[in-house]
Amino acid sequence: MLAGGGASIAHGAADGPDGGGHAAHGTGSAGGSTDGMASADGKVGEDGKAGEDGKAGEVGMVGGASRSGGFWMRADGVFSPPGSFVPSDALTYDTALVPAAARIEVTQYADRTTTRVGTRLKGLLPNRAYGMHVHTSLCAADPASAGPHYQHRASATADPVNEVWLDFRTDRNGAGEAEARHDWGFRDGGARSVIIHDEQGGAGKRIACFTVPLSS
């Protein structure tokens, strides 16, 4: 169910990727630490080379069932420009705003009543606001390939209630985080990436993309 993009899956019994709950929807002030990321040491493999899947230090994807009857997923990526020697599921289209080797983590927790999607990032510009949304298609060299925002009710309102907005502001170290919570789940195969925009709100230039299939 969670396979894709060279990811590996590990099953476990936990109520979420960190075993605990998260806050309701809001833009993160990035005051909290992002050192809890699965690969937060910033290294590219043990020996400075690409990982076993050929990707630049990416942990891939893990997930499993929760004790409450839902499931959780976590995916990690390292940004690189399209066409880089070492391929990545995380693409930067503007290295001035999302530098190569910046890192991203996306988490999802879902049960019968709630879906939470969170993100944590490192290595971005300090003290800067970024927009971020879940999109419908996979990342590719053309930023438009990721399709439009995922909408719970298609062609309805473009807002944080009907879409998944993860706008955030980085701290002085270039780290940021955000989480969105909804009482609806994704359609199967309908949410396949997250896009980082150069400004917050409903639009903005697409400056980076991370392929991360989100499950219903």
Side-chain angles (χ1 to χ4, degrees):
M1 179 174 62
L2 299 178
S8 60
I9 301 174
H11 293 280
D15 284 331
D18 54 6
H22 296 275
H25 172 80
T27 57
S29 65
S33 170
T34 60
D35 291 341
M37 294 177 67
S39 297
D41 57 7
K43 296 179 181 177
V44 182
E46 290 291 331
D47 54 3
K49 298 179 181 178
E52 292 180 3
D53 60 0
K55 295 177 181 177
E58 292 183 22
V59 173
M61 190 181 300
V62 295
S66 71
R67 288 187 294 267
S68 60
F71 68 88
W72 64 271
M73 176 278 297
R74 185 185 72 230
D76 301 87
V78 181
F79 287 104
S80 64
S84 296
F85 178 73
V86 178
S88 175
D89 285 337
L91 301 176
T92 174
Y93 307 119
D94 187 335
T95 55
L97 297 179
V98 180
R103 307 185 72 90
I104 183 171
E105 175 189 271
V106 173
T107 58
Q108 180 187 7
Y109 174 78
D111 57 24
R112 293 190 180 98
T113 61
T114 304
T115 298
R116 299 197 304 262
V117 178
T119 187
R120 291 189 289 182
L121 302 102
K122 294 182 67 175
L124 303 181
L125 298 186
N127 302 312
R128 191 186 194 283
Y130 291 84
M132 188 170 178
H133 311 97
V134 171
H135 282 246
T136 61
S137 300
L138 303 176
C139 305
D142 181 357
S145 297
H149 295 181
Y150 179 89
Q151 293 191 323
H152 175 52
R153 293 183 175 85
S155 301
T157 55
D159 57 39
V161 176
N162 192 48
E163 301 178 345
V164 180
W165 290 22
L166 295 163
D167 293 357
F168 63 93
R169 185 176 183 85
T170 56
D171 63 14
R172 62 182 182 180
N173 298 313
E177 60 183 60
E179 185 180 89
R181 178 181 294 187
H182 294 283
D183 60 4
W184 46 261
F186 295 108
R187 293 180 292 277
D188 189 29
R192 308 185 74 182
S193 63
V194 292
I195 285 276
I196 302 176
H197 299 267
D198 66 342
E199 61 184 59
Q200 296 186 344
K205 177 185 175 183
R206 301 183 182 198
I207 57 176
C209 184
F210 182 35
T211 294
V212 52
L214 296 157
S215 298
S216 57

